[in-house]
Amino acid sequence: MNANPNATAVAGELAGRHIVLGLSGGAACFKAAEFCRLLIKAGATVQVVMTEAACQFITPVAMQALSGRPVYVSQWDARPDNNMAHINLSREADAIVVAPASADFIAQLVQGRAGELLPLMCLARPIHRVPLLLGPAMNREMWAHPATQRNLRQVVEDGATVLGVAHGDQACGEFGDGRMLEAAELLEELIAFLAPKPLLGQRVLITAGPTFEAIDPVRGITNLSSGKMGFAIARAAREAGADVTLIAGPVHLPTPRGVRRVDVDSARNMHAATVAHAHDAHIFIATAAVADWRPATQAEHKIKKDGSGDVPQMAFVENPDILADIAHSPRAQSGDLYCVGFAAESQDLQANAQAKRARKGVPLLVANIGPATFGKDDNALLLVDDEGVTELPRASKRLLAQQLVQEIARRVSGLDA
Ligand code: C5P
C-alpha cells in the first residue's frame, strides 16, 4: 500500500493556482522542501519567500531548484522594477502559506511587524482577497507557552488560518505538540481550504469499508472492500465544508484530515455507531460493504481441528440493514436526513440500481460494478434518482468522490429551496 494515498491522487488539483510559500526559521524547513515539490506536482506555481533565519536551515538555492523560480529573502531586493517585492508578491498570490511558521514569526504577525520581507509581505497583503495559512513548527514548551497560545488566538482573529500542529518526536529530542504537519498533510489542508464550500453547515455521516464477522477469536468472514471510495467521499465532503463523521470498518487507510473517524468491526457495531451519529446528521452516505450474514454463534475459544476430518457446521443469521433502517427513520422520512445508498453489482447496473433504490427507500442510489472496483484507485458510477440516471464516467475515486459530493450538494440545496 502507498504510505501516502492522499499525496498521490492530486496531480493537477492546484492547476492555475499561484502559491507564495513562506519559510521562517526552524528544523521543519526540510519538510517545506517536500511541500514545495508536492505543490508543483499538484500543478501550482510557487514563489518562495524566506526569512534570514530560514536560510540557516535550508538554502535558497535548494528552494529555487524545487520551485523553479528565484527565491526572495530581502525586502531590499532590487530585482522588481518598482523595488516593492512585498507588494508585487502578495498581490500575485492566490494564497500565502508560511510553513514552517516559527513562534517568533507568529509573534511578529501579531504585532504587525515588518522588519524583513516575509512578515512585511504578510502585512501588506490584501487581507480580504489573499488568505494567509500558517504551518507552525516549534518545541512543545514553546508551543504550550501562554504567549504563543495568545499569539495564535490573535493571528486567527486577525484572519489567518492555522494548520496543525502534530504530536510526536521533535528535532530537539523531546516529544509532544508543536511538530509541523507533514508535507502531504499541508497539501491536503491547502486543497481543502481552496475548495468551494457547497456543504457548509451540513453534517455528513458516511459508512465505509468491509465489516468483519467473527467465527472465533482468530477467524472471521469479511469481504474485499478497501474503503477507498468511502474515504475519498469523506475527504471530498470535508473539503466541501461539511462536518464529517466516518464510520469505518477494518481498513488500512489514513483518516482524511478534519474528518471524525469511528472504527468498528462487525455489522452490528457499525449499525449501532451509525444510529448513534445519525440523529443530528443532514446527509447519510452508505458506502460500506456490510456483510449480509454473520455466524449464528461466535466461539469463545479457537475452534480446533480434532483430527477426525469432520468440518464444523456453521449456521448464519442476517445482519441488520443499516441503510434501510436509517432511510426508514422519521428524520429521513421527513426529509431532514438525505440518504444515499451504494450498490456493487456484477451485471445489469441500471435495472439493479433502480430496484435497490426502491427496496432501500433512498432518494439517491449510486451503482458501480463491484468486482471491477474493489481495491482499485478508479471507478465509474451510475447515479439513479427521481431525475433519472446520471453517469459519472471512469475516473479516479478521488475525482468521482468530488463529483458525487457536488451532485449530492446540488440535490440537498434543491430540497432546501
Ligand atoms: O443490499 P445491498 O448490500 O446490496 O445494499 C448495498 C447498500 O446498502 C450499500 O449502500 C450498503 O452500504 C448498504 N447496506 C447496509 N447494511 C447492510 C447491507 C447493506 O447499510 N446490512
Side-chain angles (χ1 to χ4, degrees):
M1 193 192 75
N2 190 303
N4 242 328
N6 293 332
T8 57
V10 292
E13 282 199 65
L14 290 177
R17 302 284 196 172
H18 183 65
I19 307 300
V20 169
L21 173 59
L23 278 66
S24 61
C29 279
F30 78 94
K31 291 190 196 172
E34 174 66 5
F35 180 44
C36 180
R37 213 177 61 80
L38 293 182
L39 287 171
I40 298 281
K41 228 172 133 185
T45 51
V46 181
Q47 174 62 60
V48 176
V49 179
M50 297 170 67
T51 64
E52 294 284 350
C55 298
Q56 298 288 330
F57 291 90
I58 191 168
T59 65
V61 176
M63 295 308 296
Q64 178 173 353
L66 291 168
S67 65
R69 285 168 180 252
V71 170
Y72 281 85
V73 177
S74 166
Q75 60 180 314
W76 311 118
D77 192 320
R79 277 175 293 171
D81 289 342
N82 59 359
N83 213 312
M84 293 186 194
H86 62 295
I87 301 291
N88 309 344
L89 297 177
S90 63
R91 274 142 191 79
E92 287 159 8
D94 288 309
I96 300 173
V97 186
V98 181
S102 66
D104 178 62
F105 178 75
I106 294 167
Q108 290 181 52
L109 288 180
V110 166
Q111 294 187 353
R113 296 179 80 93
E116 58 179 326
L117 178 60
L118 186 57
L120 168 61
M121 184 193 68
C122 292
L123 189 66
R125 83 186 197 282
I127 197 164
H128 297 299
R129 186 167 64 74
V130 181
L132 173 62
L133 293 86
L134 304 174
M138 64 196 74
N139 164 270
R140 66 192 172 115
E141 301 290 359
M142 294 168 73
W143 174 258
H145 196 284
T148 304
Q149 291 299 317
R150 187 168 62 238
N151 287 341
L152 285 162
R153 283 193 296 277
Q154 189 61 52
V155 280
V156 169
E157 199 170 303
D158 292 346
T161 298
V162 176
L163 309 177
V165 290
H167 185 81
D169 287 326
Q170 306 204 307
C172 51
E174 295 183 5
F175 185 89
D177 285 336
R179 270 172 67 100
M180 190 168 86
L181 297 187
E182 298 304 319
E185 295 173 319
L186 289 172
L187 183 70
E188 196 178 330
E189 289 285 0
L190 177 63
I191 289 171
F193 181 89
L194 294 172
K197 299 280 176 277
L199 288 184
L200 201 62
Q202 301 281 338
R203 277 186 293 275
V204 176
L205 178 63
I206 299 168
T207 61
T211 62
F212 180 85
E213 311 300 328
I215 296 171
D216 66 19
V218 297
R219 303 186 185 91
I221 296 168
T222 187
N223 61 58
L224 291 175
S225 168
S226 65
K228 285 179 181 171
M229 194 69 225
F231 274 60
I233 293 169
R235 179 179 172 188
R238 183 261 174 158
E239 283 173 357
D243 176 274
V244 181
T245 301
L246 176 62
I247 313 279
V251 293
H252 300 282
L253 292 174
T255 312
R257 290 197 59 77
V259 166
R260 191 180 309 105
R261 175 176 181 167
V262 180
D263 283 319
V264 295
D265 45 20
S266 66
R268 282 186 298 175
N269 287 345
M270 184 176 275
H271 183 265
T274 307
V275 168
H277 285 87
H279 66 94
D280 65 350
H282 301 108
I283 298 168
F284 173 51
I285 309 172
T287 68
V290 184
D292 291 319
W293 309 283
R294 66 178 181 275
T297 55
Q298 184 188 336
E300 192 185 341
H301 298 291
K302 184 181 173 187
I303 302 169
K304 297 279 196 193
K305 262 192 310 205
D306 61 8
S308 68
D310 291 345
V311 292
Q313 300 300 307
M314 213 175 285
F316 289 92
V317 291
E318 198 169 301
N319 271 325
D321 189 318
I322 304 168
L323 176 61
D325 279 2
I326 300 288
H328 288 96
S329 68
R331 287 192 66 244
Q333 292 290 311
S334 68
D336 290 340
L337 175 61
Y338 186 82
C339 292
V340 182
F342 264 70
E345 303 293 348
S346 58
Q347 58 177 350
D348 290 341
L349 212 52
Q350 189 170 332
N352 279 321
Q354 267 153 347
K356 190 160 294 185
R357 175 173 175 257
R359 191 151 40 80
K360 299 276 182 179
V362 293
L364 177 62
L365 201 291
V366 182
N368 59 90
I369 298 281
T373 181
F374 273 172
K376 303 243 168 66
D377 287 322
D378 65 351
N379 198 357
L381 302 178
L382 202 67
L383 278 54
V384 179
D385 72 349
D386 269 350
E387 293 177 13
V389 176
T390 311
E391 205 179 325
L392 301 182
R394 184 156 291 279
S396 68
K397 288 183 176 174
R398 165 83 178 127
L399 183 63
L400 287 171
Q402 290 173 315
Q403 292 172 341
L404 178 61
V405 162
Q406 281 170 26
E407 294 280 346
I408 292 171
R410 187 168 61 74
R411 285 165 173 81
V412 171
S413 60
L415 283 182
D416 287 343

